[in-house]
Amino acid sequence: MIAEALGKPIGADSATHFADESDIPLWAKSSVAAVQHAGIMQGKDAG
């Protein structure tokens, strides 16, 4: 919902650089990347 409010400006093939990125479903990648790019969600430094 947050990504939709942001307008999801990032494509589905965008990398998130999370250690578990391969576990993110393809349909959710663009939303996760948009929220991460906006600084709303970050991972832990230890991965």
Side-chain angles (χ1 to χ4, degrees):
M1 290 188 326
I2 294 170
E4 281 294 320
L6 293 172
K8 277 201 300 193
I10 298 175
D13 59 346
S14 297
T16 62
H17 306 292
F18 289 128
D20 61 349
E21 180 173 356
S22 63
D23 293 333
I24 301 171
L26 185 59
W27 59 265
K29 279 201 178 224
S30 64
S31 296
V32 172
V35 174
Q36 180 191 25
H37 182 72
I40 296 170
M41 181 173 64
Q42 303 93 22
K44 294 187 175 191
D45 290 337

